[in-house]
Amino acid sequence: MNNRILKILSVGCCIFATAPSMAADGKILATAGLSQVEGSGGGGLVPWATLAGYDSQDETAASFFMSDVNVSDFRMTSIGVATSFYDRVELSYAQQTFVLPESLISGLSLTSEQIKQDIVGLKVRLYGDAVYSAYPQVSAGLQYKQLDSDTVASKVGAKTDSGTDFYVAATKVHLGAVAGYNLIWNVAARATKANEMGLLGYGGSENNSYQVMMEGSVGLLLSPNWVVGMEYRQKPNNLSIVEDDWTDVFVSYLPNKNVNITAAYVDLGTVATKKDQKGIYLSMTGYLW
Amino acid sequence: MVNLVKASFIALSVFLVACAAPNKAPQSLYDEIGGKPTVEAITDNFIDEISFNKDIYRYFEKTNITRFREKFIEHLCVNTGGPCTYTGDTMLKVHQGQKINETDFNLTVDLLVSAMKRAGLTYPQQNRVLKVLAPMRGEMLYK
């Protein structure tokens, strides 16, 4: 476990759990969702149709997040900020740092153990309210991603070091649907050329055009403050090396509209020739206003 | 053809018997949460929550609270499947002209949730009450 991240997470939690309410609070608790590893409001792996903040139609909101993924051979941290305006538009920025294992560093004779990627996201709510409208809330978004260096990407056969994902997401909360408990589900379709979210570049020898990947999340609100659920993210296979779909099971704690904390068990399958990448995902979102 | 008629008749009989079985009548949400005393408690708690919230109380400054209490009890009773008749105005008429924004609407939902919690409703029961009320939001917001 990355101690620095753990420390930041725990300090951050303390500050936000005790701070007086300063966040936009025009939405119902939990309806702002969590922070997605690429910076968008969502679940952990999948972008949702809900926007990142607690802003109602008359408010704006801003939040920051820190996520840490620790699997067998890799570690990734993602930090970023998201703002949302009038429950209509969301802007986000995230920086991902992907840390490679020694075997890959020497195997590919790399000079740096890290791959960094910047992601700028835009999301627009097109229809509905996840809780109240008859049909699911629907949003469309994009994520523009840029690697800081194309060294690893080109070594594994990727065509470029930047790319843009486009997605449409639908989210619905069903009040009292499962024995009186609220059920939330989200489905997203993403057009992408990214290899391992873009960390291994875009396109490859097997495929160099956009493909639509399906992603989904389902969660159950056990109380106003606790959510358990699972996620699935389909992945393309553009490179000659194997890329697997991702899954996770998560538990989130949302004590108030200032902070949320998520822990998940993730299964990333084979990543960059390393098999069975399973481990822990930790994430915290703090809401500034 | 005769067989079809016979089969239909048997199916219909089974269906009618099943429907008529008196001991299987599902309990209404109204009865499950505790009937009249609980609905009255929710309403009194709700009025209490509103009166201590300056953002929401301003909508109620000119409200006849005695009438509001009576109609709100009826409203909750009817919508949870209780044996009452709603004699109040439509949700649209009650909320029209108040220009209730989304923030205040959601805050009022929070107050109602507190009121239900204080009246002893479990979290699943609270959700099921919200579920029957949720479709009325369109008649309340920005009118």
Side-chain angles (χ1 to χ4, degrees):
Chain A
M1 186 59 56
N2 183 344
N3 281 326
R4 191 173 60 92
I5 288 284
L6 260 189
K7 264 181 213 158
I8 295 172
L9 281 176
S10 51
V11 170
C13 292
C14 293
I15 291 170
F16 278 86
T18 55
S21 177
M22 50 189 169
D25 58 0
K27 282 187 203 164
I28 296 168
L29 183 64
T31 53
L34 313 167
S35 297
Q36 199 248 340
V37 282
E38 290 150 303
S40 306
L45 301 178
V46 181
W48 288 2
T50 50
L51 303 195
Y54 279 108
D55 49 317
S56 72
Q57 293 173 31
D58 313 293
E59 297 169 327
T60 62
S63 57
F64 70 91
F65 76 94
M66 287 171 268
S67 299
D68 185 55
V69 188
N70 234 309
V71 292
S72 323
D73 291 298
F74 302 96
R75 204 182 78 224
M76 191 196 75
T77 58
S78 182
I79 57 171
V81 291
T83 55
S84 44
F85 303 90
Y86 313 109
D87 198 26
R88 177 60 68 187
V89 177
E90 172 193 296
L91 286 172
S92 60
Y93 166 77
Q95 184 175 61
Q96 297 178 330
T97 306
F98 186 51
V99 183
L100 302 168
E102 184 55 39
S103 60
L104 276 184
I105 295 165
S106 51
L108 295 170
S109 47
L110 302 173
T111 51
S112 168
E113 57 159 24
Q114 292 186 347
I115 300 173
K116 279 186 188 287
Q117 176 166 254
D118 292 308
I119 304 172
V120 175
L122 170 71
K123 187 198 290 179
V124 178
R125 181 175 65 86
L126 301 177
Y127 166 84
D129 179 290
V131 178
Y132 291 107
S133 56
Y135 299 101
Q137 179 168 334
V138 177
S139 295
L142 61 83
Q143 293 171 338
Y144 170 76
K145 310 176 188 184
Q146 173 72 54
L147 287 168
D148 70 334
S149 153
D150 66 352
T151 312
V152 177
S154 58
K155 278 192 176 167
V156 296
K159 299 290 183 190
T160 58
D161 64 355
S162 84
T164 306
D165 289 356
F166 301 91
Y167 63 88
V168 176
T171 307
K172 182 80 185 125
V173 176
H174 296 276
L175 293 170
V178 181
Y181 293 94
N182 300 340
L183 178 78
I184 182 166
W185 61 261
N186 173 78
V187 173
R190 177 197 299 259
T192 184
K193 291 166 80 169
N195 310 317
E196 301 294 2
M197 219 158 51
L199 294 167
L200 299 184
Y202 299 79
S205 57
E206 306 294 307
N207 174 63
N208 192 31
S209 52
Y210 274 101
Q211 286 176 296
V212 176
M213 297 290 128
M214 297 308 294
E215 305 176 3
S217 318
V218 62
L220 195 64
L221 280 87
L222 298 179
S223 85
N225 307 110
W226 289 91
V227 187
V228 293
M230 53 201 298
E231 291 197 297
Y232 166 78
R233 178 164 169 170
Q234 189 186 20
K235 309 283 292 309
N237 264 293
N238 302 329
L239 301 172
S240 53
I241 57 172
V242 172
E243 176 168 350
D244 280 331
D245 298 348
W246 289 353
T247 56
D248 75 55
V249 289
F250 67 89
V251 52
S252 295
Y253 177 53
L254 308 99
N256 53 43
K257 291 177 185 174
N258 296 326
V259 68
N260 70 56
I261 306 154
T262 298
Y265 180 75
V266 293
D267 183 351
L268 308 182
T270 298
V271 176
T273 72
K274 301 287 183 186
K275 288 181 179 164
D276 293 325
Q277 298 303 310
K278 294 173 185 166
I280 300 297
Y281 162 101
L282 281 178
S283 179
M284 189 211 87
T285 309
Y287 297 87
L288 299 168
W289 73 80
Chain B
M1 186 62 195
V2 173
N3 276 341
L4 183 64
V5 172
K6 241 190 230 171
S8 308
F9 182 72
I10 291 167
L12 183 64
S13 308
V14 169
F15 177 66
L16 288 176
V17 168
C19 288
N23 56 338
K24 283 288 170 193
Q27 196 186 21
S28 69
L29 180 55
Y30 178 81
D31 289 330
E32 195 192 309
I33 62 176
K36 192 164 179 254
T38 309
V39 167
E40 286 176 354
I42 294 170
T43 307
D44 290 333
N45 295 342
F46 188 41
I47 291 168
D48 187 52
E49 294 279 345
I50 289 166
S51 64
F52 283 100
N53 190 300
K54 65 173 171 30
D55 290 331
I56 305 305
Y57 180 71
R58 62 194 173 92
Y59 292 104
F60 289 83
E61 268 171 349
K62 290 175 183 158
T63 303
N64 176 344
I65 295 297
T66 313
R67 179 182 157 84
F68 172 80
R69 181 179 184 276
E70 181 189 313
K71 303 305 174 198
F72 195 84
I73 289 169
E74 287 176 7
H75 185 67
L76 272 185
C77 173
V78 168
N79 284 294
T80 52
C84 311
T85 310
Y86 182 60
T87 60
D89 297 316
T90 63
M91 284 300 107
L92 182 62
K93 196 176 170 205
V94 171
H95 297 88
Q96 204 155 31
Q98 304 207 58
K99 306 250 182 295
I100 299 168
N101 65 37
E102 196 185 17
T103 307
D104 289 343
F105 178 87
N106 285 342
L107 177 54
T108 311
V109 173
D110 283 342
L111 298 183
L112 179 60
V113 168
S114 307
M116 290 192 286
K117 206 192 269 176
R118 283 170 55 194
L121 269 69
T122 64
Y123 178 60
Q125 287 170 343
Q126 295 166 28
N127 293 336
R128 288 167 62 201
V129 173
L130 291 180
K131 185 188 177 178
V132 297
L133 300 179
M136 298 165 198
R137 175 179 180 258
E139 293 184 31
M140 305 179 188
L141 213 53
Y142 298 105
K143 295 292 178 189

